Amino acid sequence: MARENNSDESPENPGLEKQDYSGTSASSLFKNGEGLSYSDFTILDTSFTDIDKEDISFEANLGKGIVLKTPIIAAPMDTVTNSDLCIAIALEGGIGVIHYNHKKENGERDFDEQIREIERVKRFENGFIEDPITVSPNHTIQEVLRIGMENKVGNSVIDTFPVTEDGSPHGKLVGLLRKQDYSRSSHLSMTVSERMIPLSKLIHGKKPITLKEANALLWEEHLLYLPIVNEKGNLASLVTRSDLDKNEQYPLATKDDKKRLRVLFAVDTRFDRTPEMLERAFAAGADGVVVDTSQGYTKYAEKMLMFIAEEYPNKLLMGGNISTGQAAMHLHDLHVVDCFRAGQGSGSICTTAGTIGVSRASASGIYSCAQQLADEGSKMRTIADGGIKEAGDIVKALAVGADAVMLGNILAGTDESPGNIKINPRTGLPYKDYRGMGSAEANVGGIRGYGKMPQGVSGKVEYKGSIHKWVPLIRDAMISGFHALNCRNIQELHLKLRSGKLRFEKRASGAFKESGINVEM
Ligand code: IMP
C-alpha cells in the first residue's frame, strides 16, 4: 500500500518536529542558516511510485510565451555558448544565451559578432538557408575544399555548394556542386564548372515557395539539396533534407511562432552600447535578454531592467544574479522581470566567495529566493545558476524551488561548445578549456561588473561528445529522479516541496563519501 509520512510534527509531541525515519521538509532543512550546496543533502524516496516514466514532462515556462521542454539554459559564457551550442541546446528543448565577450583580433570587443551569432541561431532551422556558402564556376576543387573547411557548420565541413556566376551568395545560379561530384584524389586541379551539375540539368525551386512545397519536391525528386531562385534567377536560398529531418528528429525543440529556434542574449548594465545592441539583437530575432551581472541587486541592474522593459515589453527579461529573498522581492516589486538567475559564488569556475566574501551556497540561495517569492504569491521564475555538477543536482535544484537551471560546466567540453578538443598530457584524456567570465583570461573588458581582481579561473573540463548525446542522457537521469519522487512535472514537485511532502536528509561526510565512486577506476 502507498504510504507517505509527510507531517513535520510528531504525533506524541505536537509542535515539535518528528525525529523519525522520513527525513525532513525543505523548510527545516534550510532553517538554521547553514549554507547548503547540492552535495550537502539528498532527497528521500518517501513517495510510492504509481506513475509511468512516459508521464513525466519537464515543461518550464520562463515567461513571455517561452516554454522549455528541457528546463536547461546554457550560460552566457565565452567557452560555452556560441551559436552552435545555442542551436544544439534549443533542438534538445532548452535554450542558450549568447554571451557578450566576443573579441576582434586586436582584442577590442566585437559587438557585431554577438549579433551575427544571434542571426546564425535564428536562421538555422527556418528551413531556408538564406545565405548558403557558394562558390564560382572558376574555383578549383582544391579551393572549394578549403572554403568548405573554413565554413564549418558545427563540426561538419561544408561539402555541397550552390554555384553562382560570380561566386556571391545571391548571384545568378549556374549549378550545384555536391560532395559526390568530386574526388580529392582525382579532381583537385579541375574547376567547379567541370564537375558541377549545370543549371540546365539541376532541379531547383522558384520563389515563392513554401517550406512544405520545397520538402515535397526534395522527396519527389530524391534530392538532398534544393537551391531556390528568385524571379531573376538569382540564388535566394537553399533547402536541405538534413535540416528538414531535424524537425522530425528533435520533437522537443524550442521554437518561436515562425518555427525558428529560440535564443536569448546577454547585455551588461552599462548604457554606452547596450541600447544599440538591444535594438540590433531584437531586430535579428532574439527572443529575450539576460541582464548579465554578478550582482543583480543594484541600482545599475534595476535601471537597465526598467529601461529594457519600457522599450521591449514583449521580450523575455531575465534578471539576477541574486541569492537572497530580499533581492528576489526587490526584482519582483519591479513588476517587469520574468525570471532571474539565483546563484552567487557557486559556479564551478568562480572564486567570488573567497575574493569578495559575499556569496551563498547554491541550494540555500535557490530555496530562499524561490520560497520567499512563493510566500508572496509571485509568479517570477527562479533559475538555479552555478554549481550544478551532475544530473542529480538538476533534480535537487528543481526540488528546492527552481523552475529551470542554467549550466556552464556541464555543457562546456561538448562538440558544440567553442574551442578545440585537446589532450591532457598527464592523463591522455581529451578535454576542452572552460573559464569564468570573471577570470583574468576572459575579463578583459570588465565583463559582468567584476572588478580588477579576478573572480573566476580558467581550467579544463573533460570532453563529453555531442550535446545531442549528452542532454538526452541528462534528461534520462532526471526522469528517473522524478519517477522515484512520483512527480509528473515540475509543478507537482513544487507542490510536494511546499506541502512538506518532499523529504530531505542532510549528508554527513561519510554519506557524501559513500555516495561517490568507491572502487578503483
Ligand atoms: P557552473 O555551471 O557551475 O560552471 O556555473 C556557471 C555560472 O557561473 C554562470 O552561469 C555564471 O552565473 C557564473 N560565472 C561565470 N563566470 C564566472 C566567474 O568568473 N566568476 C563567478 N561566477 C561566474
Side-chain angles (χ1 to χ4, degrees), residues 359-403:
S359 66
R360 195 162 198 189
S362 51
S364 298
I366 293 153
Y367 180 73
S368 305
C369 293
Q371 195 53 42
Q372 179 92 53
L373 292 168
D375 289 350
E376 306 287 338
S378 169
K379 295 262 176 300
M380 204 168 64
R381 285 88 171 172
T382 304
I383 314 242
D385 178 21
I388 291 179
K389 294 183 282 306
E390 49 195 333
D393 291 348
I394 302 180
V395 176
K396 289 181 184 179
L398 300 173
V400 299
D403 297 279

Side-chain angles (χ1 to χ4, degrees), residues 85 90 162 225 250 256 302 373-374 420 473 498:
L85 192 127
Y225 295 88
Y250 299 106
D256 64 18
E302 175 183 314
L373 292 168
N420 296 325
L473 281 177
R498 298 202 166 116

